Amino acid sequence: MPDIDCLFHRYMRTAVLVLMFLHALPGAAQPAPVQGASVPTMEVPSFVSLVRQHGGAVVNISSTRTMPDQAAALPFAEDDPLYEFFRRFLPPPTEGEHQEFGLGSGFIIDQDGHILTNAHVVSNADEVTVKLTDKREFRAKVLGSDPYTDIALIKIEAAGLPQVKVGAAGSVQPGEWVAAIGAPFGFENSVTAGIVSAKGRLLPNESYVPFIQTDVAVNPGNSGGPLFNMRGEVIGINSIIYSRTGGFMGLSFAIPIDIAMDIASQLRATGKVTRSRIGVQAQELTRELAASFGLKEPRGALVAMVEKGGPADKAGIQAGDVVLSLNGQPIQSSADLARIIAGLKPGTTVSADVWRKGKVVAFKVTTEELPDPAAATPGADASAKAAGKAGLVVSELPDEQRQTLKLDQGVLVHRTEGPAMRAGIQPGDIILKLNDEPVKSVRQLDALLAKNVGKTVALLIRRGGETVFVPLRLDG
């Protein structure tokens, strides 16, 4: 009996040959061409000339910082009976310091040796070393850094340096090819490429930067490196990846170069960045929230909290107001509000159109300076230095928030860095206690922190609907 598979393949081969013969006969019907149609072609671009011309201006950055050894901490005061019981099961606390090493990237923006990178690459560094593509190494000086945008400006003393060509981030379009050069995991001058996935992307806790999203492979070590367009212009600084593993997963974000260059000019001139604030916390408007406030579309910044005694409070703005525009400039989201206000000079008076109870009301608000993250915020005592050294930027808990949460104690965390950031404390946390001592004011918190310098304290934190203890090591 013949094999069925063999017969089937023989039949199919014969059928194909017959069709080819009929198609080749004179007068055989041919498919009519589509009017005006052309076959699309796509060529993968070459990045060879881009790397050859501009790769020399990309540098590798290594940093060292001295960090205190972390001691095990208990969420109990030393006079608590449970403290002694649990202490027996923990290793003895260690005292001392150790060296931490960091790697990142950067790029030279002028022949004087000024280099842009990420603030987190050189943050709290004792020593910063820059290595060029020709293997020369230089000790770099940190001229200034801005944690709000994660931009830092450093400088090396060298002559005849190559420099990048700065482009315009505003001209970037989703879908266009881009390339990154950096040192992922320490592999120097690595080139990766991809496309722009989106622009103006807003990320949680990053209100001051409308990021460029790409699918360019970016990994630890790429931070601070340039993002090039196909014309060889830098359009962004690679800064953040979204990952569940710590490695690249197709989502990378770059700081637009125009924002970075503005920050760099301020850091070069004064060593710091000056911004404004009006003392509000704002949130996004959903369609449901917009409808509840009588708005036809979810546009604007919903004021969730107004700082007592702050500029917005003095102007008459209230929680529940929706800011629609500033000086005639439309506000589409809460991030727009933060970014526009931050870009103003402190002391500037702006006109704010606010939606309240079904109608638009105009207010005049005079901005004030946004404090340095390491300093006490408005509402805190100016001499509160311990909180700053602990990496805490805090203020008194607003009355509205205190009443809503039914709290008779606590201070509000605005920003963290250094020890507080390493401990896992987050903006928006409310510090309720320190070592079982209720915290009722910024001044009291500062006094408690100062009294425990060199020790590890247990902070009771209110975060959302949860209350947790967080151990915080206070450096001497």
Side-chain angles (χ1 to χ4, degrees), residues 45-385:
S46 170
F47 298 91
V48 175
S49 61
L50 184 154
V51 176
R52 184 182 297 122
Q53 294 176 28
H54 307 289
V58 182
V59 303
N60 301 322
I61 299 174
S62 58
S63 62
T64 60
R65 53 182 61 87
T66 302
M67 304 297 293
D69 293 329
Q70 295 294 309
L74 290 172
F76 309 105
E78 293 186 14
D79 58 353
D80 193 307
L82 291 176
Y83 179 88
E84 182 61 27
F85 176 79
F86 282 100
R87 185 188 65 80
R88 298 174 185 273
F89 297 95
L90 291 176
T94 57
E95 297 292 339
E97 298 175 332
H98 65 277
Q99 293 288 320
E100 286 189 359
F101 302 91
L103 292 173
S105 305
F107 52 97
I108 305 169
I109 59 174
D110 60 32
Q111 293 185 343
D112 295 331
H114 289 93
I115 297 170
L116 273 181
T117 186
N118 281 151
H120 73 261
V121 172
V122 298
S123 176
N124 299 319
D126 301 317
E127 182 177 309
V128 178
T129 302
V130 169
K131 185 177 181 180
L132 308 184
T133 55
D134 61 9
K135 308 303 180 184
R136 287 187 294 168
E137 293 189 6
F138 299 89
R139 181 77 62 84
K141 179 182 179 181
V142 180
L143 299 184
S145 64
D146 177 42
Y148 288 110
T149 55
D150 197 21
I151 295 294
L153 182 67
I154 65 177
K155 188 179 187 305
I156 60 175
E157 298 299 331
L161 296 171
Q163 66 184 75
V164 299
K165 183 166 60 174
V166 175
S171 63
V172 176
Q173 295 299 321
E176 73 173 90
W177 284 96
V178 285
I181 304 179
F185 299 107
F187 291 99
E188 301 176 358
N189 306 109
S190 297
V191 184
T192 54
I195 63 167
V196 174
S197 304
K199 55 188 293 188
R201 187 69 81 194
L202 303 175
L203 303 180
N205 300 322
E206 300 289 345
S207 301
Y208 299 102
V209 180
F211 286 95
I212 302 169
Q213 179 188 334
T214 77
D215 68 352
V216 177
V218 171
N219 285 288
N222 276 111
S223 292
L227 183 70
F228 290 96
N229 62 19
M230 290 305 297
R231 295 182 294 278
E233 301 167 335
V234 176
I235 57 170
I237 301 179
N238 298 307
S239 179
I240 297 175
I241 62 172
Y242 261 27
S243 173
R244 294 181 178 177
T245 64
F248 175 68
M249 294 185 69
L251 286 168
S252 56
F253 299 89
I255 303 163
I257 191 62
D258 50 354
I259 292 177
M261 293 301 291
D262 176 65
I263 298 298
S265 64
Q266 294 188 58
L267 293 176
R268 187 172 183 176
T270 64
K272 67 174 185 176
V273 178
T274 301
R275 291 188 177 86
S276 286
R277 66 190 295 274
I278 59 173
V280 300
Q281 289 185 7
Q283 68 181 76
E284 294 298 297
L285 268 176
T286 64
R287 288 197 174 275
E288 293 78 8
L289 281 173
S292 70
F293 287 107
L295 287 166
K296 294 181 179 179
E297 55 180 343
R299 181 182 66 83
L302 174 59
V303 178
M305 186 274 289
V306 179
E307 181 183 298
K308 188 175 181 180
D313 182 44
K314 293 176 181 177
I317 293 176
Q318 303 172 3
D321 288 345
V322 179
V323 182
L324 300 176
S325 67
L326 288 173
N327 283 347
Q329 186 173 354
I331 302 295
Q332 299 294 336
S333 66
S334 60
D336 287 342
L337 177 64
R339 190 163 54 251
I340 293 172
I341 290 294
L344 299 173
K345 185 178 179 181
T348 302
T349 299
V350 296
S351 176
D353 288 334
V354 171
W355 180 264
R356 177 186 291 177
K357 296 181 180 179
K359 61 180 181 180
V360 178
V361 183
F363 293 92
K364 295 290 186 181
V365 186
T366 302
T367 66
E368 66 182 21
E369 185 173 349
L370 181 71
D372 185 272
T377 58
D381 190 278
S383 64
K385 298 180 180 178

